[in-house]
Amino acid sequence: MDIDFSPEDMAFQQEVRAWFKAHTPSDLKRKAVTGEMLQKNDIVQWQRRLDSQGWLVTGWPKEHGGPGWTPTQRYIFDLERAAASAPVGLSMGVIMLGPVLIAFGTPEQKAQYLPRIRRCEDWWCQGYSEPGAGSDLASLKTTAVADGDDYVINGSKIWTTYAHWATHMFCLVRTANSGKKQEGISFLLIEMDRPGIDVKPIVSIDGEHHLNQVFLTDVRVPKSNLVGREGQGWDIAKYLLTHERTSIAGVADCKAHLSNLRVAAAERRSGGQPLMEDAAMRLKLARAEIELMALEYTNFRVLAATASGKAPGPESSLLKTMGTAVQQTLAELGVEIAAEQAWPWHDGGEFGSGRHAHAMPHYCFSRAATIYGGSDEVQKNVLAKMLLAGGTR
């Protein structure tokens, strides 16, 4: 594995760096540094700015609007974005559904949805987890019963991120109960304004509303909204989750976060001297950096594999478990460095101001990182089966 950038890659890096410096709005930079939650309009405007440059759907093939970059160029792009304090701000349509439609969708589905995802005209949420079917996703009970040219859907989804903003949901439903649990699952596209859909908010421990429970009662969806074949949903779901888990690792943003923590430790004073001069704090930051370096080199190995033509595989589970552990470590250090300034939810007062305004809410929500996208226990089982035991997908 050659980890040195080529002259072409280095020139590309300078181009990307200059663009982010010139085009990242100051308000979005501030939110990225402090960890403030982006609002829908923030994300929509940022996505459209990236798309106007041709840099939004960086992982899509060129024929569907992607820039045609190599895996290394995509990695460089993400590093420079994070270093410039520019947000990820990408909807699930870009990161998750787009690749699925490109791989499994009909020509009509691609023509209808892919351009609208790029223009951020449709906002997609993910209907996977259910009460009683989170890590054990194959136990989902939401049903889709064929009725003429439609499916009639009944059930509920939970932890549905941004469902209150969404115009559409990509959803796993049960279309059969015979055979293995996985064999009866299908993948449907559902418009959120259809009669029978009710979205209830879930305010999480960080005090923010980004999660929801979605109830579906006799919701009629045309069969033309089925992606792939009936009963193929489990395979499609696994394909989608490899993309999600790889992105969850967040190497670039972890590097930017660690850099911000070093600045914060240099600014804070403890015992009359900068906290950065405290030996214990230097040791904690060094350990976090070592863990992050290990994560980055693992990411390099996955990049090398994809550059040679291999699809993301069980290695995405390794990136996910390592990446979320690093994120939790950094979030904990953020609270320790902020000390009394991490006092939560006092944005306008003496506490919780400036770069530490969201340190405690960020730490609290980071506890969920080892659960969402597939819990650590599930990921370790995947790794044991697929990598250590030489299993097949």
Side-chain angles (χ1 to χ4, degrees):
M1 180 180 63
D2 184 0
I3 63 172
D4 292 326
F5 293 151
S6 68
E8 293 78 13
D9 288 334
M10 293 178 70
F12 172 77
Q13 184 178 38
Q14 294 303 314
E15 176 192 359
V16 171
R17 183 175 298 174
W19 189 89
F20 277 117
K21 182 178 180 180
H23 293 91
T24 306
S26 58
D27 188 51
L28 292 190
K29 286 184 180 181
R30 177 188 59 78
K31 290 183 177 182
V33 170
T34 64
E36 181 178 344
M37 177 180 163
L38 299 181
Q39 297 304 308
K40 183 177 182 179
N41 189 59
D42 292 330
I43 299 173
V44 170
Q45 295 305 316
W46 181 238
Q47 282 198 187
R48 288 175 177 170
R49 182 171 294 200
L50 288 173
D51 190 48
S52 67
Q53 178 67 12
W55 289 357
L56 175 63
V57 289
T58 60
W60 294 16
K62 202 166 185 178
E63 61 266 29
H64 294 293
W69 292 344
T70 65
T72 299
Q73 287 175 318
R74 294 202 300 270
Y75 185 71
I76 289 171
F77 174 82
D78 206 33
L79 285 178
E80 293 301 323
R81 175 201 56 74
S85 299
V88 177
L90 299 182
S91 69
M92 292 183 179
V94 171
I95 298 173
M96 301 180 198
L97 181 62
V100 162
L101 290 178
I102 290 168
F104 298 96
T106 64
E108 293 78 14
Q109 289 170 341
K110 294 175 187 178
Q112 179 178 353
Y113 294 116
L114 292 179
R116 294 182 62 84
I117 290 173
R118 283 187 51 199
R119 295 191 297 265
C120 215
E121 294 172 355
D122 295 337
W123 187 285
W124 290 85
C125 62
Q126 180 185 44
Y128 273 28
S129 294
E130 298 181 7
S135 295
D136 183 18
L137 189 57
S139 295
L140 66 89
K141 293 181 171 57
T142 296
T143 59
V145 178
D147 183 20
D149 292 331
D150 295 338
Y151 289 106
V152 180
I153 304 169
N154 283 279
S156 71
K157 299 293 179 177
I158 201 165
W159 316 125
T160 313
T161 303
Y162 299 142
H164 56 301
W165 293 351
T167 58
H168 295 70
M169 173 192 289
F170 53 92
C171 190
L172 292 181
V173 295
R174 183 161 298 284
T175 49
N177 287 301
S178 59
K180 293 182 178 179
K181 294 186 295 184
Q182 293 87 342
E183 294 173 354
I185 295 173
S186 299
F187 192 103
L188 275 182
L189 308 177
I190 304 173
E191 295 86 354
M192 293 293 286
D193 60 356
R194 288 187 172 273
I197 296 180
D198 188 19
V199 178
K200 298 293 186 183
I202 298 174
V203 177
S204 50
I205 195 171
D206 58 354
E208 299 284 3
H209 173 206
H210 36 85
L211 303 173
N212 304 270
Q213 184 167 4
V214 181
F215 296 89
L216 303 105
T217 305
D218 294 331
V219 178
R220 300 189 73 90
V221 175
K223 289 183 177 178
S224 58
N225 284 18
L226 177 71
V227 177
R229 303 184 309 277
E230 195 171 282
Q232 196 182 9
W234 188 252
D235 291 335
I236 296 174
K238 289 192 297 182
Y239 180 88
L240 182 149
L241 285 170
T242 60
H243 288 272
E244 179 185 14
R245 288 166 183 165
T246 301
S247 66
I248 285 174
V251 173
D253 290 283
C254 284
K255 293 184 77 169
H257 192 182
L258 180 59
S259 177
N260 288 333
L261 289 177
R262 290 187 179 279
V263 173
E267 292 174 349
R268 295 284 287 160
R269 300 192 71 80
S270 176
Q273 64 179 6
L275 185 58
M276 194 63 182
E277 296 182 13
D278 179 81
M281 177 54 63
R282 291 203 306 271
L283 179 60
K284 290 176 182 179
L285 288 168
R287 284 175 173 166
E289 184 174 6
I290 290 168
E291 292 174 8
L292 180 51
M293 288 175 65
L295 174 65
E296 184 174 29
Y297 274 76
T298 302
N299 205 19
F300 283 148
R301 293 185 183 96
V302 174
L303 281 174
T306 55
S308 65
K310 298 180 181 178
E315 297 83 3
S316 63
S317 292
L318 185 59
L319 282 175
K320 199 273 180 182
T321 55
M322 293 175 63
T324 52
V326 170
Q327 290 166 33
Q328 289 178 343
T329 296
L330 297 178
E332 185 173 347
L333 279 171
V335 171
E336 184 172 351
I337 291 169
E340 77 280 358
Q341 292 293 321
W343 192 271
W345 305 300
H346 286 264
D347 294 337
E350 178 183 357
F351 299 113
S353 59
R355 71 168 66 249
H356 307 298
H358 301 275
M360 182 61 77
H362 178 63
Y363 165 79
C364 289
F365 192 74
S366 74
R367 299 300 91 193
T370 45
I371 300 173
Y372 59 65
S375 68
D376 268 13
E377 292 78 6
V378 169
Q379 302 316 306
K380 289 174 182 177
N381 283 341
V382 170
L383 292 168
K385 179 180 178 181
M386 299 299 187
L387 295 182
L388 302 182
T392 57
R393 276 179 255 171

